[in-house]
Each structure stands twice: as structure tokens, then as C-alpha cells.
Amino acid sequence: MKNGQGTIKITINGALHELMIGRDIEPSETLSYLLREKLGLTGVKIACDQGACGACTVLLDGKAVLSCMILAMAADGREVVTVEGLGDNDPVIQAFAEQSEPGYGTAMQCGFCTPGFVMATKSLLNENPSPDLDEIKLGLSGNLCRCGCYPAVARAVERVVNQGVE
Amino acid sequence: MSRQFEPRKPRQFVGSYRPKIEGYQKASGSSEFLDDIASGLRFPGMLHAKVLRSPFPHAIIKNLDTSAAEKMPGVHVVLRYDDPEIEALKPTTNSWTSFNTAAYDTMYYPNYRDRKVLGAKAHYSGDQVGAVVAAETEEIAYDALKSMKVQWEELAFELDPKEAMKKGAPVIHPEIDPKSNILPCEELCGPDVFRVRGDLDNAFANADEIVEVQSDYHFADQGCLDTRGCLLNWHKDELTCWTNLYQADQTRMYIAQMLDMKLHKVRVICPYIGGSFGRSNTGDQSYYIFTAIAAQRAKRPVKYKHTRQEDFHDTRNAIEWTLKMSATKDGSITGCYFNGIGDAGAYSEHTIAALKFMTGFEMDECLLHHIPNMKMEGYGVYTNKIPSGCKRGIGNNQLNMALFIAVELMAEKLGMDPIDLAIKNFSHEWEPPPNKSVTAVLREGAQRIGWEKRLPTNQGPLIDGRCKKGFGFSLHDGWHTAWQEEPRGMVQLGLRLNPDLSVILDAPMAETGCGSNSCAVWACADHLGFLGITPEDIKWVEKADTETGLKDMVQTDSSVSYLHAELMPEAAAKLKIKILAMAAKKFEQSIENMDIENGRVFVRSDPDKNMSIKELLWNETLVPIPVMVEKLTPLDKTGVPYEATFAEVDVDIELGRIHVKKIVQLNDCGTVMYATGAEAQLIGGQAMALGEALTEEIVYDKTTGIPLNFNWVDYLIPTMLDMPDIEPVAMEVWEGAGEYGACGIGESVTTCTARAIANAVYNATGARVDATPFKPEKVLAALDAVDRAGCAQKEEVGN
């Protein structure tokens, strides 16, 4: 952390950003503010802005963090991945998008929470590539889906895990 | 494991299991919501508006010094309640309508214009009053509000509706009634005693059994992830509003009427919306108006967006129902007396509709019609709490809480199964019981939950030394259906066929998550089957836009899932005629001698003369072929479908915790427009309803009137870990009018859950929990009451 001046370097979705404090970034800014409002990465959603819902989840060095709860300065020298940084054929995105088997419903309705769930899933699978259903539920229990698509979300993650096995 | 839904009438796309049309867009974060558009990157120079909020539940601003805010760097506009332009604004409500478009003089409740856009008097803690600031950042706007010196006169306040009804209570809206907090009667919902038939006194006097119950359904937040807001931008005398309330057309009318503008000078655009659940209903929100005035003064775009705390803004209407029911030995319910007290909170909003309309016009016609003796009365009451707006299911959840404990207790007294009692008595106006749909959802639900395992009340064994198992159910009518959506007025739909056989589908709606856009595409693909196209060839126009699009349909009850689809046969027929006319010219034949199959036109009398439609169009002008249709929804009275919830619970009698083990949610959908989407509603509704039943509660400090948990750390929304096994059952029993005869299910899926759980608790333990949420302390108190009653009974026997 710098003392209010100089630059910080953050790798965001693979690209290195050198941000001058006071010009590009304020020390009081959250990571979510930097990503959304300054870099236009609007896949990062803000729903509660108090660390209670998980909609703003991004990966920081491969682990899920709530980007509304950490300062952008704290990402100095680290690697951030947002949903925009995942590939077009990312298996988690595909699994959420295509979830439609009988008995589960769709994995999203309004879709506001979905990118957060996708990123939380990426983190979960980074730590545990083959979670069982209970581990999936526990791993994603920090994310709120008000439309209540939880069974289909869990099922989509199971499908990603099973694809890995196949 | 759930069984797969089988459609009554197979179609290629409607009724099928398939991904949502915008699934990839949403999962990849590329769908645009209001916040993604209303940003300084898109609108350079955009300002942020914030409004002063009252720290007191009932207070008047006596003096307001805004001088420091006006001088603060970065502040562009300070609006004050005493600016002549603000003072001249008409008094209004945030409830002009529910789903049709209403003007100032045709709004639902003209007697309740109890809101000022920006006044001096606060009616609840958090009320928007006094001043609005537009500044370069949200932080500067908040600093400017903090710098204001406000001299408040605190007034006595009242949080309890029963106290607020009494003489001597502080009068909260003297401009509505100088003497009382009870809402005056109005035309739409009628007098205090709003439904009377038969001879109720006689029915009670001659009954074999009487049951009296009381239930209390609490305030509950809609909790949309996407907090409400808008972006207002002027270009000369034309105003554009980007919004995430779900009716562009009504928002346009509201803004135009409040600012005395002509409709063509106001443009409203709704992108994707991050959930609605009835929130703020249809687009009559005073923040549009002060934001528009701030934008005009600043000559810049201005955004207004609730914080999470501010988005605790309007809520489900809390209602306490008292119900007395009589029946004869043969299981005929002979009479019901309903008395409701609706807590309006600080502003009337939809209180009266939740209290009277849902009961008198909706439930009485659709569920209780064959009960011969009836009296219903209700009183909406102002208190100094969060205003009761509108939430998914509006008054139905509250009513159901009272009705089905009465059914449970009555069945017990009569020695009947409550399912049989329900089937014997409940139906709609146009069909005497037993009703096919009632019977189907209850019999299917009983079978799926394992109803045969249900023991008499409190007779089951202890499980693991501390839990008792119980089963419960509840039933309600699917609604909006009795009138076939008549009050909505005209539905409009547009198609454009491009010369490469791709289609632009203008089925206007703000997509909130219901899946109605997918349904419109499935229906379009089915009806344009003669072109040989698939859903992938159809582009749904995703933003509702009052300038470039047709009139959008408001997303109540997921009814839009079939409203546009119902226009598709006519649109397809019109398109076909246009293509046939072109083909007839090409082949030098009469139109009657031309036909189309699988993407080819051919001469009927000589089918060897044929051509692909694509080739036909490609060699014409290359101008897309437009079709526009509009139609009133069919008005035939076709009865009503029903829905039921069955619950299995284990009650921890030591800790008072309710473990919901399984829920079966059954909805007669008429026609299932989209099987995966319908199952998402059936399941998702349980998540919301479980929250209302078990954990979600708005808590006030009763000594100060200040709400304590307008945040998502303390207001407990269910997570994935809180979800029981949920079995979604979409059924097709009832048949409505029109091509599909479908109905919305999005609201009714939440209606029965709380009561089904409470009845299961009663079945397990004999403990009555009749006030939501069923927190452990309430369950323990109810268990104590059962124990005390048991002891008293023993003593009596002993004596």
C-alpha cells in the first residue's frame, strides 16, 4: 500500500493496469468502484454494497473476494479476474446459461446475481475441483439469489464437475 | 426426483424444456441493467442525486439551512421543499395503477393522494423530505446533505395499527382525514363492510362446529438485487428517463402528468431489471420528478439510485385477519366472517387493494363463492412505518394464512381430512365444488408429499429425542385469471421479417426475470413454423422504449408469458398473407392458389412450381416485412386454476427450530408456456416464501420508531444452504380462453408456503404459529401454550 501517491499495478483480466494515485485512482475507492465505474467492467454487480450478497464477487489471485469490501489499493501487485475475463466458452458460464433439465428450473431468472455466482464457482472449483452437493451448497452460500434459483445453480455446478470427470 | 412435465398439447417450442434466450448474456455479465447504462462512462458529466431522509418517524422541518451545501465544490443543484417549483407540484401517490396505464385523474385511489414529491413532513424514519442535492459524486452529495442544518419538530408517532385506530392517536395524514388514521373508503374497493351475503348470524347459530382464528402476516421486503433508480437527461425540452421500474408506458404517463409535459416529449427506456417481485409496482415514483427537475437545473444527466438501506422503501402489506368459520357435520362450510386490519405504514399505496380487493373481488369469487353466508370487513390504517407498497402476491399470502388454519382446525373438529374439506367446499363462481383443478392439485400434492404418513395432531413419535414430524398443506386460487387480464387493456405486438428469414420480435416488456421474453420467442417460433425457422432466428427487442417500441406489458404474475403469445397466431397469419401476395405476383397466380410449407411457397394446383421464401424475398426490395397486431385479451369467463403447497417439517421442540424437509409446489398453469421457466418460478417462489415464513422480519426500535435492520446482514434472506428439497409440479388442468388459455404463476407460487409450513408445525406438535415469521421464540411460546393446555386438561380430568 502506498501513502496516497505513486502508482499501483493491478493485472485485470490479463492486462496490466498502472494506476496513478490521485489521478486514476483514489485511496478510498473500493475495487468494485474501480472495476465498474472507471474500467467499465459492469459484469461486477453491486446489490448490497456491504458484503452480504456476493453479486460483486471477483477473483483475486484465484480466490473469490467481495470487491465491494476491499479497497482497490489492496489489489496492488495482484491479479484480478472478473466475469469479463473468462473465456467465451468458459464451462461455468456455459453450464449456467444452458441449465434446463427437468426438475431444477433455470439457473437464473433476473440474472443480476449470476456473474457473482459464476465467479464464486470458479473459486470453489479452483480450491476443490470435484465438490459434492453439500460442498457446493456451502461454497456458494455467501451468494444471494432472490429469484431463488439455488437448485439449478447447484445442478449447473455439478454438471461442470461431471464434465471434468468425463 | 421430480417427474418431467408432459404437455397436454405437444408443441415444438412452447411448453418445452430449454435454456432461457438470454441465459448466456446474463451468465457472462453482458446483460445491461440500469446501473451499467447510468454511468459516468456512458454519460459524461453525469451527476448523482441524493435526498435528505428523516431520522425521525414523525416530524416536521421547521427550518432548513442549505447554505453550506450550496457553496460546496462539486454540488451543482440544491432543491428545497419550499422552492416555488417544488411547492407547485401536485400531491400524488406511488400507486397510480397496478398494470394498466393510468393518468392523474384516472389513478386507482384519488382519495389517497398523501404524498408530496418533496415536502417538509416526514411520516416514517427514512422518509424523503426537505432537500435534494445533485453533485459530481455520491460522496459529495451525501456530504452536502450532512452539511444542512435542519430544525426538526418531532411529533408523537405510532407504530401499532390497532393503537393508531384509537381516538387520541397522533393523526398521521390530517390532509386525508383530520380526525382519524383509518383510510377513508373509496370507489374501487367499497365500504368498510365490503362483502355481505346470506344470513351469517343464522349460519353461526345453526352450525355444528365453529372455528375462530387470528393470523398476522408481517411486512417483508421485496429485496430485489437491483435497487431502484433512474437516470434523467434533458435535450432542450425533451426528457429521457432510463429506469428499472417495470412499466415504461406508465412511467412516461406519470412523468408527463406530474411535470405538465406532452407525452411525446417524454421518453422512457427500461433495460433488463434485476428482479421486481411487485416492488414499487408500476412506475409512479416521486424520485423521478425531483431527479428530472435537478437535471433540468443542472443541464446535465442526473442519476438517482437507492442504496441498499434506501431500497427498504415499500413492503408487503402487513395484515391481521380475524376469521370465524362455521360448518355442519357433513363437512359443508356454511359461513365465514373476515375482519382485517391492514397496516398501511406511512403512505396508503396498495393497502386497500391488498385488504379488500384481494378478499372481496378475488378470493370470494375464486375460492369461497359457494359458501352461502359471508361477511367481510377491513380497515387500512396509517402508522409511522415503512409504507406498504406491493409485493409478489399482494394480499393473497395474508389471507391464506388465516383461511387454511381455519380449514385445518375445522377438519379436525369434524373428523375429516382437511384435503377432503377443501375439495368439498372450494371453487370459483362458475363451477360448483368439487372443482377439477382443486381436486387435481390437492390429490397430486398429497401423493407426492406422502400424505398417508401424516398422523393425527401431535401424535407422532419423537425423532432423535427432540424433533417431531408433521405434514401440512394450503390451497389458493391462481389469480389475475378470473378477469382474463381484462383491466390491462390493449396488448400490442410487432414482427419484422428480414429478407434472410430472421425475425425482429417487438414483444415489449421490461424483463425482470419471469422468462416472458423466452415465452414470446417460443410462441413466435411455433407460429412462424411455416417459414422453417427456429428460436435462434428470432431477436427479441430487449429494451422497452416508449419512443421506438409499442406499449410494454407490465410483468405482474408472469402473465406476460402468454399475453404476447396470444397475439402470435394473428401476427403469423398477417405475415403469411403478405408473403403469399408477393409469391402470387411472382408466379402470376391468385393468392388463393398459393401456399407455404417448410419455408417454401408453391402453387397449390401445380406444386412443382415452388420457390424458397428466402429466394423470393431476396429478389424483391430487401425491405423487411412488418406486421403489427393489437388485441384486447379475451374476456370469456373460463373459471380459475388453483395452486397448492405441501410441506413436510421436523420441529425441534427443544430449540423451537422448524426444519423444512420438503416442499411440493403445484400450480395448475392452464398451459405451461415454458417448462424450465415455470419450474424456476415454482422453485424460486419457495425461496422467497421460506424467507417470509421463517427468517425475514423488519424490526423497529419501539421507543424511537427507528427501523433496525434495513440491510442484508440483519435482514435474513435465505441462501442455498437454507433450501429444503423442493419438488416443482407444473400442471395443465384448467383451460383458459384464447390460443393457450394459460395463466401467470409467478405470484401465486409464494401464497401458500407459510401456511403449509405452519400447518405442518401444528400437525407435528399441536402448536399454533399464526404470525410470520415463525422464529424459534414464537415456536417455543406456542409449544409452551400446548403444554399448559395439556396440564390444565389433565388437572380438570383429575378434579
Side-chain angles (χ1 to χ4, degrees):
Chain A
M1 183 79 72
K2 307 288 191 291
N3 293 324
Q5 44 187 301
T7 56
I8 62 165
K9 293 178 184 177
I10 313 176
T11 303
I12 299 171
N13 296 336
L16 182 67
H17 290 254
E18 292 194 31
L19 302 162
M20 189 183 287
I21 297 162
R23 187 193 68 183
D24 304 322
I25 185 171
E26 297 299 329
S28 61
E29 275 169 18
T30 58
L31 181 58
S32 63
Y33 187 85
L34 171 69
L35 296 171
R36 279 187 56 84
E37 306 300 329
K38 294 199 160 165
L39 302 177
L41 296 168
T42 51
V44 179
K45 301 295 179 200
I46 295 296
C48 74
D49 218 11
Q50 57 192 184
C53 77
C56 67
T57 302
V58 300
L59 300 183
L60 187 62
D61 292 339
K63 281 197 172 183
V65 293
L66 300 170
S67 63
C68 78
M69 295 300 284
I70 61 170
L71 295 173
M73 298 280 282
D76 186 16
R78 302 173 77 178
E79 186 174 356
V80 173
V81 178
T82 71
V83 74
E84 289 90 346
L86 305 181
D88 283 349
N89 297 317
D90 183 87
V92 178
I93 291 178
Q94 295 286 353
F96 276 68
E98 289 163 12
Q99 180 62 41
S100 59
E101 70 194 275
Y104 294 90
T106 45
M108 87 282 290
Q109 290 182 46
C110 82
F112 205 87
C113 69
T114 315
F117 268 102
V118 167
M119 299 315 288
T121 302
K122 297 301 286 186
S123 176
L124 171 68
L125 297 180
N126 284 347
E127 288 180 29
N128 176 3
S130 52
D132 63 21
L133 185 58
D134 285 343
E135 289 168 331
I136 292 168
K137 286 183 182 177
L138 189 63
L140 301 182
S141 63
N143 292 61
L144 294 180
C145 170
R146 190 55 161 166
C147 303
C149 298
Y150 295 126
V153 167
R155 185 66 183 154
V157 179
E158 282 186 317
R159 283 175 44 239
V160 177
V161 171
N162 294 338
Q163 278 166 16
V165 172
E166 287 159 12
Chain B
M1 184 59 207
S2 183
R3 269 163 279 171
Q4 181 163 346
F5 156 76
E6 296 287 347
R8 181 162 53 187
K9 176 181 172 185
R11 295 175 171 93
Q12 194 175 356
F13 299 111
V14 165
S16 60
Y17 286 96
R18 54 183 60 243
K20 278 170 93 75
I21 59 166
E22 78 281 21
Y24 182 83
Q25 217 183 326
K26 283 181 171 171
S28 61
S30 55
S31 293
E32 286 189 335
F33 296 89
L34 174 66
D35 255 345
D36 308 333
I37 294 162
S39 124
L41 295 173
R42 297 263 190 110
F43 291 88
M46 184 186 85
L47 302 178
H48 297 265
K50 290 288 165 192
V51 61
L52 189 69
R53 293 193 177 273
S54 170
F56 305 112
H58 201 192
I60 297 178
I61 296 175
K62 301 308 282 185
N63 189 40
L64 176 64
D65 177 358
T66 53
S67 54
E70 284 156 21
K71 288 179 206 135
M72 198 174 276
V75 171
H76 287 246
V77 177
V78 176
L79 301 180
R80 291 172 54 99
Y81 69 96
D82 51 4
D83 287 348
E85 188 181 4
I86 300 288
E87 282 191 320
L89 293 167
K90 296 184 277 259
T92 181
T93 75
N94 283 5
S95 50
W96 285 26
T97 175
S98 271
F99 43 40
N100 50 340
T101 300
Y104 192 79
D105 57 356
T106 65
M107 67 169 71
Y108 276 12
Y109 319 109
N111 293 358
Y112 306 150
R113 289 175 184 146
D114 53 11
R115 275 187 186 267
K116 286 187 171 181
V117 170
L118 192 63
K121 188 171 175 217
H123 300 90
Y124 72 103
S125 172
D127 203 356
Q128 55 187 43
V129 282
V132 169
V133 170
E136 287 169 14
T137 66
E138 286 183 273
E139 289 73 20
I140 296 172
Y142 281 125
D143 285 347
L145 291 176
K146 270 187 212 153
S147 77
M148 292 178 185
K149 296 189 183 97
V150 193
Q151 191 191 329
W152 297 96
E153 180 191 336
E154 285 186 66
L155 304 172
F157 67 89
E158 186 52 66
L159 301 181
D160 181 340
K162 284 185 183 161
E163 294 299 317
M165 288 173 86
K166 291 179 181 166
K167 274 194 177 164
V171 176
I172 294 165
H173 282 284
E175 78 282 16
I176 300 296
D177 185 335
K179 290 185 180 162
S180 169
N181 290 314
I182 299 173
L183 293 176
C185 296
E186 45 67 70
E187 205 177 321
L188 185 68
C189 299
D192 293 333
V193 178
F194 56 91
R195 206 79 166 176
V196 179
R197 71 167 167 270
D199 182 347
L200 197 61
D201 291 340
N202 187 44
F204 287 161
N206 292 307
D208 293 317
E209 296 293 349
I210 296 272
V211 164
E212 287 185 77
V213 297
Q214 201 167 57
S215 73
D216 193 358
Y217 206 103
H218 65 128
F219 283 134
D221 188 45
Q222 298 88 343
C224 313
L225 265 73
D226 189 6
T227 63
R228 289 299 174 255
C230 56
L231 174 82
L232 274 297
N233 193 18
W234 290 87
H235 181 67
K236 295 190 177 149
D237 63 342
E238 297 185 355
L239 178 62
T240 302
C241 171
W242 295 80
T243 174
N244 58 6
L245 280 178
Y246 62 4
Q247 193 180 9
D249 195 64
Q250 175 61 23
T251 304
R252 180 177 75 146
M253 179 63 82
Y254 173 79
I255 293 173
Q257 294 262 289
M258 288 300 288
L259 294 177
D260 290 325
M261 294 172 70
K262 290 202 76 170
L263 292 168
H264 71 306
K265 297 285 186 182
V266 182
R267 178 182 187 183
V268 178
I269 304 171
C270 293
Y272 279 112
I273 295 177
S276 191
F277 316 118
R279 156 56 44 88
S280 309
N281 221 17
T282 48
D284 337 286
Q285 295 290 312
S286 38
Y287 55 73
Y288 292 121
I289 306 305
F290 64 63
T291 308
I293 294 171
Q296 194 169 37
R297 289 204 192 166
K299 296 189 169 49
R300 289 199 192 201
V302 177
K303 177 182 183 179
Y304 172 83
K305 190 102 191 314
H306 286 160
T307 61
R308 177 51 53 198
Q309 182 182 10
E310 289 170 329
D311 215 44
F312 282 81
H313 178 262
D314 56 273
T315 163
R316 181 178 299 293
N317 321 73
I319 302 179
E320 185 176 308
W321 281 109
T322 304
L323 165 58
K324 185 174 177 184
M325 179 187 276
S326 59
T328 48
K329 273 181 195 161
D330 66 343
S332 299
I333 298 175
T334 54
C336 284
Y337 168 60
F338 287 87
N339 188 326
I341 297 171
D343 189 344
Y347 297 101
S348 58
E349 312 285 32
H350 287 286
T351 297
I352 287 299
L355 188 69
K356 294 184 184 173
F357 192 83
M358 287 303 123
T359 327
F361 292 89
E362 193 267 334
M363 190 173 75
D364 193 39
E365 281 175 18
C366 300
L367 196 65
L368 308 177
H369 187 80
H370 300 277
I371 295 170
N373 305 291
M374 183 70 61
K375 182 179 173 186
M376 295 174 164
E377 62 182 304
Y379 303 89
V381 187
Y382 286 121
T383 61
N384 294 109
K385 293 197 296 216
I386 182 172
S388 60
C390 185
K391 184 177 178 186
R392 194 179 197 178
I394 185 162
N396 291 298
N397 301 27
Q398 300 89 316
L399 273 170
N400 193 269
M401 270 297 286
L403 182 61
F404 270 81
I405 183 59
V407 169
E408 176 83 22
L409 298 174
M410 183 60 84
E412 193 170 49
K413 284 192 167 188
L414 295 169
M416 281 177 82
D417 186 320
I419 291 177
D420 296 333
L421 185 63
I423 291 173
K424 186 174 171 62
N425 288 282
F426 296 138
S427 185
H428 55 77
E429 186 176 349
W430 306 281
E431 182 184 344
N435 174 291
K436 264 199 310 195
S437 179
V438 168
T439 308
V441 294
L442 291 181
R443 294 289 181 227
E444 182 74 18
Q447 194 244 325
R448 294 204 186 212
I449 200 78
W451 194 249
E452 72 283 357
K453 291 181 287 190
R454 183 183 195 254
L455 298 170
T457 308
N458 200 13
Q459 297 296 306
L462 266 186
I463 305 163
D464 297 335
R466 58 197 284 177
C467 283
K468 298 200 75 171
K469 184 174 287 298
F471 294 86
F473 84 98
S474 193
L475 169 83
H476 210 77
D477 47 289
W479 50 301
H480 286 265
T481 44
W483 314 280
Q484 305 285 348
E485 301 294 329
E486 178 185 350
R488 286 175 186 272
M490 201 66 85
V491 186
Q492 298 181 332
L493 176 87
L495 286 180
R496 272 169 290 159
L497 177 67
N498 291 319
D500 64 354
L501 298 197
S502 61
V503 176
I504 306 291
L505 172 61
D506 189 16
M509 68 187 91
E511 221 296 311
T512 57
C514 292
S516 308
N517 52 347
S518 295
C519 296
V521 169
W522 313 149
C524 183
D526 274 342
H527 286 281
L528 298 187
F530 63 87
L531 296 173
I533 65 168
T534 68
E536 286 68 38
D537 298 311
I538 300 166
K539 163 69 182 171
W540 171 70
V541 179
E542 70 178 38
K543 290 184 179 67
D545 184 335
T546 58
E547 192 162 297
T548 60
L550 300 169
K551 194 258 177 193
D552 61 319
M553 300 310 291
V554 59
Q555 292 276 15
T556 48
D557 198 24
S558 69
S559 294
V560 183
S561 63
Y562 68 92
L563 288 173
H564 287 122
E566 284 291 344
L567 271 63
M568 222 58 85
E570 189 181 329
K574 279 189 168 179
L575 182 64
K576 194 170 180 180
I577 284 177
K578 286 193 173 193
I579 296 170
L580 288 173
M582 290 165 84
K585 205 173 152 195
K586 185 91 181 169
F587 286 91
E588 297 179 340
Q589 297 284 329
S590 67
I591 289 185
E592 292 72 29
N593 198 27
M594 299 301 301
D595 207 348
I596 305 181
E597 255 175 36
N598 297 325
R600 295 190 80 79
V601 287
F602 60 93
V603 177
R604 280 170 184 257
S605 56
D606 184 2
D608 287 345
K609 288 186 182 161
N610 65 69
M611 181 186 274
S612 77
I613 299 174
K614 193 172 168 185
E615 190 186 346
L616 175 74
L617 299 188
W618 205 254
N619 289 296
E620 290 280 342
T621 61
L622 299 183
V623 175
I625 305 173
V627 169
M628 204 281 267
V629 290
E630 61 175 351
K631 212 164 121 173
L632 289 169
T633 56
L635 306 181
D636 345 13
K637 301 292 182 214
T638 55
V640 178
Y642 292 83
E643 60 106 3
T645 309
F646 284 75
E648 176 190 343
V649 306
D650 285 355
V651 183
D652 184 327
I653 59 171
E654 298 289 323
L655 298 177
R657 286 199 61 183
I658 301 168
H659 300 285
V660 180
K661 308 301 282 184
K662 181 169 183 176
I663 289 190
V664 180
Q665 176 65 35
L666 310 100
N667 275 67
D668 179 1
C669 306
T671 291
V672 175
M673 300 299 295
Y674 173 24
T676 319
E679 290 186 353
Q681 291 277 9
L682 290 158
I683 294 167
Q686 303 320 301
M688 182 165 278
L690 278 162
E692 289 193 13
L694 299 177
T695 57
E696 295 178 29
E697 181 173 32
I698 290 174
V699 181
Y700 286 85
D701 176 346
K702 288 184 179 151
T703 59
T704 61
I706 294 173
L708 299 176
N709 62 340
F710 282 5
N711 64 72
W712 279 1
V713 177
D714 301 309
Y715 183 87
L716 299 173
I717 290 175
T719 74
M720 199 179 275
L721 277 177
D722 302 312
M723 294 287 277
D725 177 20
I726 298 169
E727 192 169 329
V729 188
M731 300 172 75
E732 295 182 335
V733 180
W734 163 82
E735 285 183 73
E739 166 82 4
Y740 294 102
C743 67
I745 61 167
E747 296 191 49
S748 62
V749 291
T750 65
T751 296
C752 293
T753 312
R755 179 37 75 194
I757 291 170
N759 280 3
V761 172
Y762 175 71
N763 174 242
T765 63
R768 291 261 306 276
V769 281
D770 297 329
T772 57
F774 314 133
K775 292 196 165 180
E777 56 269 32
K778 285 187 196 162
V779 177
L780 288 174
L783 287 164
D784 278 352
V786 175
D787 283 348
R788 281 199 302 275
C791 291
Q793 212 170 20
K794 273 183 203 159
E795 273 173 27
E796 218 168 83
V797 173
N799 291 340

